[in-house]
Amino acid sequence: MSLEGRVAVVTGSGRGLGLAYAQELARQGAAVVVNDVDEATAAEAVASIESAGGRAVAVVAPVGPTETAQRLVQTAVDTYGRLDILVTNAGVLRDTVLWKMSDDDFDTVINVHLRGTFTCVREAATYMRANEIPGRIICIGSPTGQRGNFGQTNYAAAKAGIVGMVRTWALELKKAGITANAVIPVAATAMTATVPYFAAAVEADEKGEPMPAFFRHDLGFGTSDDVAGLIAYLASDAAAAVTGQAIGIGGDRLQLWSHPEPVATAYREGGWTHDALQTGFDDAVGGLQSVGEKFPPLPEELQRP
């Protein structure tokens, strides 16, 4: 077991992707602090880990406040003697288009995803640096944060912000030997279960059957367990040189997302005036970048009414 003797905190790990991460970390030998806002859900998650021979304890609290971050780290240290791994997975959705999005819709998502990631990483990194632990920070992003998605202003902002913070933390924590990476998962979740395009894949998953190859290979869309292996890998010694990266995973596909780089550069003596841009912008940039996720047509046999 590659994580024997390590201790991990996984936020939002009562169900779904977070639970898969916690279970895989425990399977690889780590003791895990499970986190959820619902006591019964957290208890079930702990029981599932313990029944498989692992070690786990729960902290029931909403992610976002500094006090929750402190409780998570302190519980790891008090219960298991140390903290080596933090996975920030907790999140909520408040989807609606821009002109209908309320302040509360925006603030709630930003508070849990972005502020919650910040407060938890700050607390964990402070502990790791003070105790000279070459820890692992793994933050969960989303394709929405990379490319945008209709109706998800708040979620896109939070997930893009997480990747920006990870790149910064990789620089700041390098000297301490602490890695920081973002994982961009694509998997069957409560959210994708409501999307007709994924109906055949979700249907197969619910029946315990393999997902069609179109989803697993062509779309890189799979189960929560397909993502969990990457979490455990990034938490291990084998990934000690991997930091500051945004890594996509889902189904049969593994991806390394690029850092934003200029795709076109043009110079004009005297600068780019309004008139110059009116006549020269198209030639200068050579084509615009696409936005949003674009899916290929579903094969006929996978279409559902």
Side-chain angles (χ1 to χ4, degrees):
M1 295 187 289
S2 64
L3 301 178
E4 188 71 40
R6 308 290 173 85
V7 178
V9 167
V10 185
T11 69
S13 50
R15 56 168 63 91
L17 283 163
L19 176 58
Y21 304 157
Q23 290 172 333
E24 180 63 21
L25 291 170
R27 191 175 297 115
Q28 296 302 328
V32 182
V33 177
V34 168
N35 162 250
D36 199 90
V37 294
D38 182 78
E39 185 172 358
T41 300
E44 289 175 7
V46 168
S48 73
I49 291 171
E50 291 180 336
S51 66
R55 295 176 296 159
V57 65
V59 170
V60 179
V63 165
T66 295
E67 292 75 17
T68 296
Q70 291 171 338
R71 278 187 61 193
L72 289 166
V73 172
Q74 198 59 50
T75 298
V77 175
D78 289 348
T79 308
Y80 300 115
R82 59 188 292 124
L83 174 63
D84 304 270
I85 304 153
L86 171 66
V87 182
T88 61
N89 172 73
V92 295
L93 293 175
R94 297 289 187 273
D95 292 355
T96 189
V97 291
L98 170 63
W99 50 94
K100 293 182 179 180
M101 185 171 290
S102 68
D103 289 356
D104 185 64
D105 291 333
F106 186 83
D107 292 344
T108 297
V109 171
I110 294 298
N111 182 62
V112 176
H113 285 277
L114 194 61
R115 190 175 192 271
T117 296
F118 162 70
T119 55
C120 288
V121 172
R122 179 179 61 184
E123 197 68 25
T126 299
Y127 168 83
M128 292 171 182
R129 290 183 73 252
N131 291 275
E132 298 184 349
I133 293 174
R136 302 286 183 265
I137 305 296
I138 304 164
C139 303
I140 306 304
S142 167
T144 295
Q146 303 296 101
R147 299 194 52 84
N149 192 31
F150 189 94
Q152 291 194 310
T153 294
N154 44 14
Y155 186 69
K159 290 303 190 182
I162 286 171
V163 175
M165 292 193 300
V166 160
R167 291 178 179 136
T168 300
W169 295 334
L171 298 172
E172 295 177 345
L173 297 173
K174 182 177 180 180
K175 186 176 180 180
I178 301 169
T179 65
N181 291 287
V183 169
I184 315 297
V186 182
T189 64
M191 183 175 70
T192 54
T194 65
V195 181
Y197 185 89
F198 297 109
V202 174
E203 178 184 295
D205 187 40
E206 290 176 345
K207 292 179 179 178
E209 300 173 354
M211 285 187 186
F214 172 82
F215 292 100
R216 291 193 58 84
H217 182 273
D218 296 16
L219 291 181
F221 180 88
T223 68
S224 297
D225 288 340
D226 291 321
V227 181
L230 176 60
I231 302 299
Y233 167 72
L234 291 174
S236 72
D237 289 341
V242 181
T243 192
Q245 304 303 303
I247 305 170
I249 189 166
D252 298 330
R253 186 177 71 187
L254 179 69
Q255 295 179 311
L256 185 65
W257 284 87
S258 68
H259 298 310
E261 297 284 353
V263 296
T265 302
Y267 300 93
R268 181 180 182 276
E269 188 175 350
W272 288 94
T273 64
H274 174 267
D275 289 344
L277 289 167
Q278 288 276 350
T279 59
F281 179 81
D282 289 345
D283 288 340
V285 301
L288 302 179
Q289 297 292 286
S290 64
V291 295
E293 288 285 286
K294 290 178 173 57
F295 299 123
L298 271 175
E300 186 175 349
E301 69 273 13
L302 299 178
Q303 295 178 15
R304 298 291 182 270

